[in-house]
Amino acid sequence: MLMAILYAVSKKKPKEDGHGNMILQLPKFYPIFGILVIIGGLGLLIFAFFFGKENDAILASICSLLAFLTDLYLFAKGYISYIKVTDSGIIETSMFGKQNEIKWDEINDLSFGKVSLELKIAASDKNIKAHMHLIGFDNLITRLEEKTGKSKSEMGIPELN
């Protein structure tokens, strides 16, 4: 059910910056879920230090650390990173603020991972991965079809209704 909701949200119109460029970002669910699990992980860590017995404290600390790192990634991916689609190409800003740009004429491969649900946009020396849950994903696909001449099925994107 959650996947259906996230897929439906991805069909919304993407944000635009002041120059008319599309800004594709993951739904707010990602950073909110990340924060909630980080808080849960901190609660588990507090339990481990103050109330846990020796073995329980070690296990709770390890689980807390894993939850914290995993959901810190989820929070950063949903809140900080985004993809900007411009007239000249596609610019990905990572969760560390690093930008990666591929011009339209540099794209040499488009492939969709059915397990990862990511569209890999490849140039000779760099890649950009666009997750299917990005708000405006369909707009990105439409633009890629226009600029590269490849259809959705050629990219490997399944038809979902």
Side-chain angles (χ1 to χ4, degrees):
M1 187 166 104
L2 178 62
M3 293 301 278
I5 292 169
L6 289 171
Y7 179 69
V9 169
S10 74
K11 292 195 167 289
K12 288 184 176 180
K13 188 176 178 184
K15 295 179 192 174
E16 288 191 5
D17 64 7
H19 304 289
N21 301 318
M22 287 191 297
I23 306 293
L24 287 75
Q25 201 164 17
L26 287 170
K28 296 293 179 209
F29 168 79
Y30 282 83
I32 290 170
F33 184 74
I35 290 220
L36 291 175
V37 176
I38 287 170
I39 291 169
L42 289 174
L44 191 58
L45 191 62
I46 291 169
F47 165 79
F49 282 122
F50 294 110
F51 304 107
K53 303 285 188 245
E54 188 175 310
N55 287 339
D56 293 339
I58 292 170
L59 183 61
S61 297
I62 291 171
C63 290
S64 174
L65 180 64
L66 288 174
F68 183 75
L69 292 176
T70 302
D71 290 302
L72 188 60
Y73 169 79
L74 200 60
F75 171 77
K77 194 76 172 156
Y79 188 73
I80 300 170
S81 69
Y82 62 91
I83 292 177
K84 183 189 294 186
V85 181
T86 67
D87 290 335
S88 61
I90 302 171
I91 304 167
E92 176 186 41
T93 301
S94 74
M95 61 186 171
F96 302 110
K98 183 181 174 198
Q99 289 194 336
N100 186 17
E101 181 175 9
I102 297 179
K103 305 276 187 208
W104 293 117
D105 58 350
E106 294 176 346
I107 296 174
N108 58 22
D109 188 37
L110 296 166
S111 59
F112 185 77
K114 290 181 177 29
V115 175
S116 66
L117 299 178
E118 290 180 326
L119 176 65
K120 181 179 172 187
I121 304 162
S124 60
D125 61 341
K126 47 195 158 189
N127 296 319
I128 292 177
K129 291 183 180 180
H131 197 279
M132 188 177 205
H133 294 159
L134 287 169
I135 296 172
F137 185 76
D138 284 347
N139 297 69
L140 173 64
I141 299 305
T142 302
R143 185 72 69 91
L144 284 167
E145 286 175 329
E146 292 169 4
K147 297 290 186 176
T148 65
K150 281 194 165 190
S151 69
K152 232 176 158 178
S153 60
E154 290 174 314
M155 292 180 217
I157 299 171
E159 290 294 327
L160 300 172
N161 293 327

